[in-house]
Amino acid sequence: MGGWAIAVHGGAGVDPNLPPQRQEEAKQLLTRCLNLGISALRSSLPAIDVVELVVRELESDPLFNSGRGSALTEKGTVEMEASIMDGPKRRCGAVSGLTTVKNPISLARLVMDKSPHSYMAFDGAEEFARRQGVALVDNQYFITEENVGMLKLAKEANSILFDYRIPTVGLETCSAGAASVEAALQMNGLPLSVYAPETVGCVVVDGQGRCAAGTSTGGLMNKMSGRIGDSPLIGAGTYAGELCGVSCTGEGEAIIRGTLARDVAAVMEYKGLGLQEAVDFVIKERLDEGMAGMIAVSRNGEVAYGFNTTGMFRGCATEDGFMEVGIWE
Amino acid sequence: MGWAIALHGGAGDIPLSLPPERREPREAALRHCLQIGVAALQTKRPPLDVVELVVRELENNPNFNAGRGSVLTTDGTVEMEACIMDGNTKKCGAVSGLTTVVNPISLARLVMEKTPHIYLAFDGAEAFAREQGVETVDASHFITPENIERLKQAKEANRVQIDYTQPITKDMKKETPTADGDSQIGTVGCVAVDTHGNLAAATSTGGMVNKMVGRIGDTPIVGAGNYANSLCAVSATGKGEAIIRSTVARDVAALMEYKGLSLDEAAAYVISECAPRGTAGLVAVSATGEVTMQFNTTGMFRACASEDGYSEIGIWPNSMQN
């Protein structure tokens, strides 16, 4: 036992009709990020640095719902949030309501390392970002054409919540045609094709057994401005302690109510469960009707994931050469 | 089994030399809030209603760090946050960055009941408040002379620390006791259980003196400062950053659930082993009507009562002033 391990995710809850090309793009991104993390681990970078590095890469790519490519608020703007946690002393940092910060995970890290606080949000967080001199861009930078289209679909879907006829607006990247099938597959009240839950995250245990976790997102499509989800909440979307590091994704409300990330660590600490057992337990017992997924690593160099959704974009690798990237069961 | 209720007005470095004119109004407030909470439970109001109405009362009292009487940010403004949770359903609501809402806990409840979300903050939360027509006032309503003084002293303390040759690191940064010694008091909260074992928890605060604008503490983070499930309801107070990393409220419940500890044992464990000395206090009730109030700080303004006739109001350890 022992050695490093890493897992990344790009969100739980995948449209089963996702075009093969999109699936391929997603797997390539996950592979690239995994390899980035693996090189860093091989050069002995501490877990916390690897987590930040990998999440930055996920944020910079417009494919998933974080940083560039974030889901849009009901106003058509982007409000991003992230959290990061360093297992050894359970230090943590989180941010919400970011509109110009290019890499939210890095600002979360700065909150952890350079401020007396753990969580900064909205104007205050943006001001802190300015003072720290991090890369800032116009809010437009984060907005993609695809998400503008998704927002429109989400607004339409919301206005006809119990009508199984979802209007087919020609959007190439999603299965607008299979409307009635999708209507049954919903998360957070929206059809899966529109929901775009692709929060990103990374968990790492380094060669010294130190665990770390990070999660970043644009949040829920069509969310109310000011809405905060599970990703920046320590214990919900992100957690890292002596025993493990966890990052969750899916229905924010369910993850918060179930304090999912903390519970994985808690059943390991208080019930002595192993990593995979803990993940399975939490997914099975802590979600009620909620839909979510998670990735986790243990200080012993194990990696695990679990989800009760239709698919979860993920990748994992361990020092002994194991590597896997996947979407479905 | 029977009903039980516990409430707090903040844990911190409350000096034993606290003068009567600072102590008595708070004790009276705790007594009053306990009475209205008990009366509500006796008339079978659901615990969710009970914790909300008690916390509203604490928010309205300028002697506690919530609602009116909230401590000030480094800019001299007030930014309030709150969280409410229903044990049965585990539904919850939270708000942060409120500046004009008279009762943050009630807005948190509206987030829970009237939106598909759990947590709204800053401008978005204020806009929601207006949509909902809750009572709002000018931001100056919440600011009290004591808090202006506390902020001044906190800034002076920082300035003095800067004068020393060492840079300020997170570990070194401590709040210096002010003349009345209670600059570290934070947060109000209430937990309640009825005769059917229904549980609820509510917590509300102005945060930390001289906090950076936009800083969020443990109070609105489900599992940190506030938590309720079918086993227990917990409200925590103290140093936000420590409570967040130790997921204090959730851990009390987790220890009961995963390790089979009693309410008392779980609370004691969390307070003594999980949160560093001087950083945390909590009140909690269990589904079977037990109540516990524990803290690792000098004191915690608190009160509790249960159906079997027990009641307690206190500030320092083992205080039995009634």
Side-chain angles (χ1 to χ4, degrees):
Chain A
M1 277 301 192
W4 53 256
I6 175 171
V8 297
H9 74 73
V14 186
D15 180 3
N17 298 307
L18 193 66
Q21 195 211 339
R22 273 294 290 253
Q23 295 187 39
E24 203 40 51
E25 278 170 15
K27 284 166 54 167
Q28 279 172 21
L29 174 58
L30 291 166
T31 304
R32 192 172 86 233
C33 291
L34 215 52
N35 284 328
L36 201 64
I38 291 170
S39 303
L41 281 162
R42 288 197 180 126
S43 35
S44 302
L45 208 61
I48 189 79
D49 291 338
V50 180
V51 164
E52 184 188 356
L53 178 69
V54 171
V55 174
R56 281 177 67 96
E57 188 69 21
L58 289 160
E59 285 171 340
S60 303
D61 195 295
L63 193 68
F64 293 133
N65 173 13
S66 70
R68 191 154 156 256
S70 278
L72 306 182
T73 69
E74 63 178 357
K75 299 200 272 200
T77 57
V78 160
E79 283 174 11
M80 301 167 289
E81 46 197 18
S83 62
I84 192 166
M85 192 159 184
D86 192 15
K89 295 202 177 104
R90 289 173 301 151
R91 299 182 312 124
C92 44
V95 287
S96 280
L98 300 185
T99 51
T100 68
V101 175
K102 205 158 177 225
N103 288 102
I105 195 74
S106 294
L107 191 69
R109 174 108 195 242
L110 286 168
V111 169
M112 177 174 81
D113 289 343
K114 297 276 168 68
S115 88
H117 301 320
S118 292
Y119 189 9
M120 299 282 301
F122 292 89
D123 290 353
E126 288 275 320
E127 177 57 33
F128 176 68
R130 267 189 294 281
R131 291 209 302 264
Q132 291 292 316
V134 301
L136 302 175
V137 291
D138 192 78
N139 197 250
Q140 279 297 123
Y141 163 86
F142 304 103
I143 299 174
T144 60
E145 225 180 274
E146 183 185 329
N147 279 323
V148 171
M150 291 292 216
L151 179 63
K152 189 158 175 291
L153 282 184
K155 286 183 182 287
E156 280 160 6
N158 272 342
S159 68
I160 46 158
L161 220 67
F162 295 105
D163 186 332
Y164 289 122
R165 290 172 296 116
I166 313 282
T168 57
V169 180
L171 202 65
E172 319 87 308
T173 55
C174 270
S175 51
S180 55
V181 171
E182 289 161 25
L185 283 170
Q186 294 202 350
M187 277 176 74
N188 263 107
L190 287 173
L192 258 187
S193 57
V194 178
Y195 169 53
E198 314 127 341
T199 292
V200 302
C202 177
V203 292
V204 169
V205 56
D206 60 26
Q208 316 223 319
R210 296 175 294 207
C211 298
T215 313
S216 179
T217 191
L220 194 61
M221 185 66 76
N222 200 27
K223 66 183 179 181
M224 290 167 73
S225 174
R227 178 263 188 184
I228 292 177
D230 64 287
S231 299
L233 302 188
I234 296 298
T238 302
Y239 188 80
E242 286 287 330
L243 295 186
C244 64
V246 187
S247 170
C248 304
T249 162
E251 291 183 319
E253 206 219 8
I255 296 170
I256 293 173
R257 290 166 53 215
T259 53
L260 248 45
R262 171 58 186 143
D263 267 44
V264 172
V267 297
M268 290 179 76
E269 274 169 59
Y270 300 146
K271 269 171 88 107
L273 296 195
L275 187 73
Q276 187 69 61
E277 276 183 293
V279 167
D280 292 342
F281 175 86
V282 171
I283 292 290
K284 187 155 175 279
E285 306 291 338
R286 284 288 156 266
L287 277 172
D288 302 326
E289 288 106 42
M291 314 274 283
M294 61 178 57
I295 53 174
V297 288
S298 75
R299 72 169 166 197
N300 296 328
E302 302 157 291
V303 70
Y305 59 83
F307 51 94
N308 69 354
T309 50
T310 321
M312 178 171 77
F313 294 110
R314 80 245 170 217
C316 41
T318 52
E319 191 167 0
D320 59 10
F322 170 74
M323 182 155 159
E324 173 196 286
V325 169
I327 301 178
W328 316 112
E329 281 291 342
Chain B
M1 278 181 61
W3 55 257
I5 179 172
L7 56 106
H8 69 78
D13 193 17
I14 312 168
L16 289 152
S17 55
L18 190 69
E21 65 269 18
R22 302 216 54 84
R23 178 171 48 84
E24 280 159 8
R26 289 181 171 99
E27 280 176 350
L30 293 170
R31 189 168 296 115
H32 171 69
C33 288
L34 189 64
Q35 275 163 9
I36 63 177
V38 167
L41 280 166
Q42 285 170 334
T43 55
K44 314 268 189 235
R45 294 282 302 271
L48 196 63
D49 289 353
V50 176
V51 300
E52 183 189 359
L53 73 91
V54 170
V55 170
R56 281 177 66 97
E57 197 70 19
L58 289 162
E59 285 170 338
N60 295 341
N61 189 305
N63 286 319
F64 296 112
N65 175 15
R68 185 150 170 266
S70 282
V71 299
L72 307 181
T73 69
T74 195
D75 281 5
T77 55
V78 159
E79 283 177 3
M80 302 171 285
E81 44 199 20
C83 181
I84 192 165
M85 190 159 185
D86 174 43
N88 284 342
T89 57
K90 295 210 295 220
K91 280 173 76 80
C92 31
V95 287
S96 282
L98 299 184
T99 50
T100 69
V101 175
V102 174
N103 290 104
I105 196 66
S106 295
L107 192 70
R109 184 157 182 190
L110 287 169
V111 173
M112 177 174 86
E113 292 175 341
K114 298 279 165 70
T115 76
H117 303 322
I118 284 187
Y119 190 3
L120 286 179
F122 293 87
D123 290 353
E126 286 276 321
F128 176 66
R130 269 150 195 82
E131 268 171 51
Q132 292 292 314
V134 302
E135 200 187 346
T136 55
V137 291
D138 191 76
S140 58
H141 157 92
F142 303 97
I143 300 176
T144 58
E146 286 105 344
N147 280 310
I148 293 175
E149 183 56 32
R150 281 196 188 105
L151 179 63
K152 185 160 162 285
Q153 297 196 5
K155 284 177 181 279
E156 270 160 18
N158 280 346
R159 224 176 296 136
V160 167
Q161 279 190 303
I162 285 165
D163 287 341
Y164 297 149
T165 49
Q166 287 163 306
I168 297 178
T169 63
K170 209 197 296 212
D171 303 320
M172 276 184 62
K173 203 170 166 106
K174 287 199 278 270
E175 284 171 289
T176 306
T178 58
D180 59 11
D182 59 359
S183 69
Q184 307 212 27
I185 288 192
T187 311
V188 303
C190 181
V191 293
V193 59
D194 65 15
T195 51
H196 304 292
N198 297 314
L199 291 144
T203 312
S204 179
T205 190
M208 189 183 262
V209 182
N210 200 23
K211 66 182 179 179
M212 290 169 72
V213 168
R215 176 261 191 186
I216 292 176
D218 63 289
T219 294
I221 302 184
V222 172
N226 197 71
Y227 187 78
N229 64 6
S230 54
L231 286 179
C232 66
V234 186
S235 170
T237 163
K239 298 224 164 87
E241 285 70 19
I243 294 170
I244 290 172
R245 76 158 63 93
S246 300
T247 52
V248 167
R250 173 60 185 131
D251 268 40
V252 173
L255 282 160
M256 290 179 75
E257 183 170 359
Y258 300 138
K259 264 195 122 106
L261 298 193
S262 70
L263 182 75
D264 233 16
E265 289 169 331
Y269 183 89
V270 171
I271 287 297
S272 61
E273 306 292 328
C274 303
R277 166 159 294 280
T279 64
L282 64 89
V283 298
V285 290
S286 73
T288 53
E290 301 159 290
V291 67
T292 189
M293 305 190 291
Q294 312 217 19
F295 47 98
N296 62 22
T297 48
T298 312
M300 179 171 77
F301 290 107
R302 64 198 188 277
C304 70
S306 45
E307 193 168 6
D308 58 8
Y310 179 74
S311 81
E312 179 189 325
I313 295 177
I315 302 178
W316 296 284
N318 302 317
S319 226
M320 294 292 288
Q321 313 142 9
N322 251 340

